[in-house]
């Protein structure tokens, strides 16, 4: 059914009425899709706790006395020494022992955004979530301590990936790579500025001095990103590609960074920057993916709030762009693909990152729309906040076990979950259990083994099933079995909402 809105009063009344309903017009026939695996008994609070705990398993550096993932030990204690800088700390990105700055910064931004939107619902988990953010920002402060320079990577990825060893044992080169004004990296600098700015909001009330430090650093890092333009993978291709190449360019990170600085400072400087540069930076380009590489969609959702709630009329187009993204991921949309079991499917490798990031955006946009007492528009159809929440919930429920495999894709949640994840530390005996060093190639006997990992990386969400909902649980299948920090970070916010809704 199609609605024709001519009188403005009718638009308002219809929008308000539909805001309170649970469907959207012209799509009622889709509501029953993928119900056969649905269970309404998930312990979202438990899943939230575990999704945050996961980050302790990814820690690099000297671990604190209150470390809860106790099978991990200190590692990377001389990181940065290759260039005489202190780069100890931060997170390993996934199942290897690398510290890639690009995904680490995005992880930090998304963890921070999760706390900004849903931290008030986290209750006892809020301190743990803040610690997860601080572990990252402490490192990002070190990585940006020298003017017009960002240390963007620690480790040689090819040498690291040639070994299967615990981070506590690693003896591969801890090479350090950087961007500067001679070899710019506007993408990673823009993302780092976004991370620092977003985190400054997280700590604004509980630690004002730390918050101010983060914000001032974000301002200087963004100025560097904007002044010296270029993708970081142009100068560092052998080191960062194909692992975290900047495929989408750097324009999205400049818009994204400016959006976060506008939110963090509320100064006209960044709003004026967005208004002057938005089109150049791809504000109206069509994207229906949100990831560590492409931030356009995230920037649109974030900036739409300024129009919806703060009534910044000059940003009205971002509400339209945000609607376009929402329309593109709805089940049944021509640009969306779902598995037979109902999982949003974007790419064959690490697909869960798109599931968790999209679910977070749906819930966040639903929050903004509700606050503004309005809806999203898809042509002649109306999409309510309730509909967005329903779609997001189904995606999260799939991750937690409502799927054809009846498997939770979060390690340690539910009775059935991946046991052979692609993760070095998890797959090898801990230092406490096996004090002697495990050499570079010695770990491959465990890599090829069918034995379950001896250490559960609790809370880790793996790459997920294929397009037919199948999951082999093979350690060698890194595309499906490897966890990553940027898979979990947006899920933290989604679970916080679901745990208290």
């Amino acid at each position: 059914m199609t609605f024709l809105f001519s009188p403005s009063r009718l638009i308002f009344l219809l929008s308000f009425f539909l805001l309170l309903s649970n469907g959207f017009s012209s799509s009622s026939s889709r509501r029953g899709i993928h119900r056969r695996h649905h269970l309404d008994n998930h312990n979202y609070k438990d899943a939230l706790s575990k999704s945050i705990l996961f980050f302790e398993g990814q820690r690099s550096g000297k671990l604190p006395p209150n470390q809860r993932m106790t099978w991990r030990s200190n590692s990377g204690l001389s990181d940065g020494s290759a260039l005489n800088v202190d780069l100890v700390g931060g997170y390993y990105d996934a199942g290897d022992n690398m510290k890639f700055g690009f995904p680490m910064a995005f992880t930090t931004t998304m963890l921070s955004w999760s706390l900004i939107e849903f931290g008030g619902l986290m209750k006892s988990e809020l301190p743990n979530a803040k610690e997860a953010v601080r572990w990252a920002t402490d490192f990002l402060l070190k990585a940006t301590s020298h003017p017009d320079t960002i240390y963007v990577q620690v480790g040689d990825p090819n040498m690291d990936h040639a070994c299967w060893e615990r981070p506590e044992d690693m003896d591969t080169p801890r090479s350090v790579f950087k961007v500067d004004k001679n070899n710019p990296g506007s993408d990673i600098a823009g993302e780092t500025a976004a991370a620092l700015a977003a985190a400054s909001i997280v700590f604004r009330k509980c630690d004002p001095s730390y918050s101010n430090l983060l914000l001032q650093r974000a301002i200087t890092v963004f100025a560097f990103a904007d002044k010296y333009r270029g993708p970081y993978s142009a100068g560092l291709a052998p080191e960062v590609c194909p692992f975290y190449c900047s495929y989408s360019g750097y324009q999205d990170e400049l818009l994204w960074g400016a959006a976060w600085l506008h939110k963090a400072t509320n100064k006209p400087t960044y709003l004026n920057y967005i208004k002057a540069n938005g089109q150049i930076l791809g504000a109206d380009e069509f994207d229906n993916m949100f990831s560590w590489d492409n931030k356009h969609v995230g920037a649109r959702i974030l900036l739409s709030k300024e129009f919806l709630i703060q009534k910044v009329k000059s940003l009205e187009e971002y509400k339209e762009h945000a609607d376009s993204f929402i329309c593109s991921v709805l089940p049944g949309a021509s640009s969306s693909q779902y598995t037979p079991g109902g999982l949003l499917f974007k790419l064959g490798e690490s697909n869960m990152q798109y599931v968790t990031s999209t679910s977070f955006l749906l819930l966040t946009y639903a929050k903004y729309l509700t606050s503004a007492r309005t809806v999203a528009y898809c042509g002649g159809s109306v999409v309510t906040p309730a509909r967005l929440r329903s779609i997001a919930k189904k995606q999260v429920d799939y991750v937690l076990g409502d799927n054809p495999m009846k498997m939770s894709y979060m390690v340690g949640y539910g009775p059935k979950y991946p046991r052979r994840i692609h993760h070095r530390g998890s797959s090898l005996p801990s230092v406490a259990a096996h004090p002697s060093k495990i050499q570079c190639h010695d770990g491959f006997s465990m890599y090829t083994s069918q034995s379950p990992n001896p250490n559960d990386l609790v809370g880790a969400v793996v790459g997920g099933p294929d397009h037919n909902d199948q999951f082999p649980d093979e350690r060698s299948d890194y595309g499906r079995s490897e966890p990553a920090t940027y898979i979990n970070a947006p899920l933290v916010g989604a679970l916080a909402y679901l745990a208290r809704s």
Side-chain angles (χ1 to χ4, degrees):
M1 167 165 81
T2 301
F3 292 95
L4 299 176
F5 306 110
S6 44
S8 59
R9 182 177 296 273
L10 178 60
I11 295 177
F12 172 78
L13 291 174
L14 181 60
S15 299
F16 181 66
F17 172 78
L18 287 170
L19 178 63
L20 302 177
S21 66
N22 286 317
F24 66 97
S25 63
S26 77
S27 301
S28 59
S29 62
R30 299 178 189 149
R31 291 191 188 180
I33 293 176
H34 312 312
R35 278 187 173 175
R36 62 180 179 231
H37 308 293
H38 179 70
L39 300 172
D40 198 22
N41 59 351
H42 284 299
N43 188 339
Y44 297 116
K45 183 178 179 181
D46 180 50
L48 171 64
S49 299
K50 288 171 177 174
S51 70
I52 297 169
L53 176 61
F54 156 75
F55 289 95
E56 295 193 17
Q58 296 300 110
R59 284 174 170 172
S60 179
K62 183 173 176 58
L63 303 184
N66 63 350
Q67 169 80 9
R68 296 176 296 163
M69 196 80 79
T70 54
W71 53 265
R72 282 295 323 283
S73 300
N74 299 336
S75 62
L77 297 181
S78 62
D79 279 359
S81 60
L83 290 184
N84 296 314
V85 291
D86 176 9
L87 297 175
V88 176
Y91 290 117
Y92 301 117
D93 72 301
D96 53 24
N97 300 323
M98 291 292 302
K99 291 197 298 203
F100 291 104
F102 202 14
M104 195 193 305
F106 178 67
T107 293
T108 310
T109 309
M110 293 310 298
L111 269 177
S112 298
W113 200 2
S114 289
L115 269 72
I116 291 166
E117 300 297 345
F118 305 111
L121 306 176
M122 291 182 183
K123 307 296 183 182
S124 62
E125 285 303 322
L126 184 58
N128 293 324
K130 287 182 177 179
E131 278 304 306
V133 174
R134 189 185 287 263
W135 194 269
T137 50
D138 282 351
F139 177 82
L140 294 179
L141 287 172
K142 293 179 179 183
T144 57
S145 59
H146 295 162
D148 293 338
T149 301
I150 304 179
Y151 298 97
V152 300
Q153 185 171 307
V154 181
D156 181 317
N158 294 303
M159 296 289 286
D160 181 273
H161 291 174
C163 292
W164 195 263
E165 59 185 351
R166 304 175 297 198
E168 294 83 359
D169 290 334
M170 60 183 170
D171 48 13
T172 53
R174 301 302 285 171
S175 308
V176 178
F177 302 96
K178 66 179 181 177
V179 295
D180 54 30
K181 56 187 178 181
N182 296 317
N183 295 285
S186 299
D187 32 30
I188 193 167
E191 182 60 65
T192 302
L196 294 167
S200 76
I201 301 173
V202 171
F203 295 104
R204 182 177 289 163
K205 292 183 178 179
C206 63
D207 194 340
S209 60
Y210 187 65
S211 171
N212 186 61
L213 174 62
L214 294 172
L215 183 55
Q216 294 308 311
R217 187 65 58 83
I219 291 170
T220 59
V221 170
F222 183 79
F224 164 66
D226 190 44
K227 183 177 181 180
Y228 303 102
R229 294 194 178 188
Y232 90 126
S233 48
L236 294 175
E239 289 75 32
V240 304
C241 297
F243 314 103
Y244 292 103
C245 234
S246 182
Y247 298 102
S248 68
Y250 62 81
Q251 290 82 1
D252 53 317
E253 279 83 18
L254 289 178
L255 184 62
W256 175 242
W260 276 109
L261 277 161
H262 171 62
K263 185 175 180 66
T265 66
N266 201 29
K267 291 181 178 179
T269 303
Y270 298 102
L271 179 58
N272 292 336
Y273 179 94
I274 292 164
K275 289 192 291 186
N277 295 281
Q279 299 304 312
I280 300 171
L281 300 178
D284 57 358
E285 292 177 9
F286 175 76
D287 294 284
N288 71 342
M289 279 190 182
F290 179 49
S291 70
W292 58 264
D293 180 40
N294 193 330
K295 320 299 162 44
H296 274 133
V297 171
R300 289 164 192 158
I301 298 288
L302 186 64
L303 290 171
S304 73
K305 182 182 181 181
E306 298 302 301
F307 168 71
L308 288 167
I309 299 172
Q310 304 302 327
K311 307 303 180 185
V312 181
K313 298 297 184 183
S314 59
L315 298 180
E316 182 175 6
E317 66 176 298
Y318 290 94
K319 199 276 184 185
E320 298 171 3
H321 296 323
D323 281 4
S324 294
F325 164 70
I326 294 301
C327 301
S328 75
V329 297
L330 295 178
S334 61
S335 55
S336 68
Q337 180 182 353
Y338 286 76
T339 67
L343 183 70
L344 178 68
F345 197 83
K346 293 290 186 182
L347 292 176
E349 292 187 3
S350 194
N351 180 64
M352 282 301 188
Q353 66 178 299
Y354 307 106
V355 174
T356 60
S357 65
T358 300
S359 297
F360 175 85
L361 291 182
L362 290 172
L363 291 172
T364 299
Y365 197 47
K367 178 183 175 183
Y368 298 166
L369 292 173
T370 300
S371 296
R373 301 169 72 88
T374 190
V375 294
Y377 296 97
C378 295
S381 300
V382 172
V383 185
T384 66
R387 175 63 174 156
L388 301 185
R389 294 186 183 108
S390 175
I391 296 170
K393 182 180 183 297
K394 286 179 180 178
Q395 293 304 295
V396 174
D397 287 349
Y398 186 109
V399 173
L400 297 180
D402 289 1
N403 55 65
M405 297 286 292
K406 301 190 184 306
M407 168 181 279
S408 161
Y409 290 103
M410 175 184 285
V411 174
Y413 179 86
K416 181 182 179 184
Y417 55 84
R419 301 284 180 169
R420 289 174 286 276
I421 69 171
H422 184 95
H423 190 277
R424 286 158 176 77
S426 171
S427 69
L428 296 167
S430 67
V431 172
H434 190 285
S436 58
K437 181 175 180 176
I438 299 175
Q439 299 290 340
C440 168
H441 297 295
D442 292 348
F444 279 107
S445 60
M446 186 60 186
Y447 174 79
T448 57
S449 167
Q450 288 300 305
S451 300
N453 288 8
N455 310 303
D456 272 348
L457 185 62
V458 175
V461 177
V462 297
D466 64 17
H467 65 285
N468 287 318
D469 301 295
Q470 298 303 300
F471 181 77
D473 196 11
E474 293 285 346
R475 197 173 291 113
S476 59
D477 188 2
Y478 63 87
R480 297 177 179 84
S481 294
E482 188 171 19
T485 57
Y486 45 87
I487 298 178
N488 270 59
L491 183 61
V492 168
L495 287 169
Y497 170 78
L498 293 170
R500 302 295 173 182
S501 63

